[in-house]
Amino acid sequence: HGAGGIGKYDYMFWIMPPDGPKEVVQSYSLNNIYIWKTSGLSPGVYYLDVFIRNWGTTGDYQFNKELAFVLEK
């Protein structure tokens, strides 16, 4: 959950698969939850990024976090 600002926050989620470029999986919205469905995905390391900015702004994000996940067969 975003913290440190005032009011609400917008969240955007990206995923980068082991063999491909990063892609937006959820555009900026008030929804701070992304459910990642891994069924059928290839094994390997996936990177999930969340970008957070003050709600209603159109500028750059104020915070981001990247997490690595390993999918096994």
Side-chain angles (χ1 to χ4, degrees):
H1 215 313
I6 55 170
K8 299 176 183 178
Y9 300 96
D10 280 331
Y11 301 84
M12 178 173 62
F13 294 87
W14 292 69
I15 288 184
M16 185 171 73
D19 60 349
K22 240 182 218 189
E23 63 178 292
V24 174
V25 292
Q26 180 176 300
S27 296
Y28 275 115
S29 74
L30 290 172
N31 188 1
N32 65 354
I33 297 172
Y34 172 71
I35 298 173
W36 184 30
K37 296 178 181 163
T38 59
S39 178
L41 294 178
S42 301
V45 178
Y46 289 76
Y47 293 91
L48 172 66
D49 286 279
V50 59
F51 295 85
I52 304 169
R53 67 182 183 191
N54 287 322
W55 176 72
T57 64
T58 57
D60 290 335
Y61 59 91
Q62 282 80 41
F63 179 80
N64 97 294
K65 181 72 175 178
E66 180 176 88
L67 301 168
F69 294 90
V70 177
L71 292 185
E72 300 176 351
K73 270 194 161 183

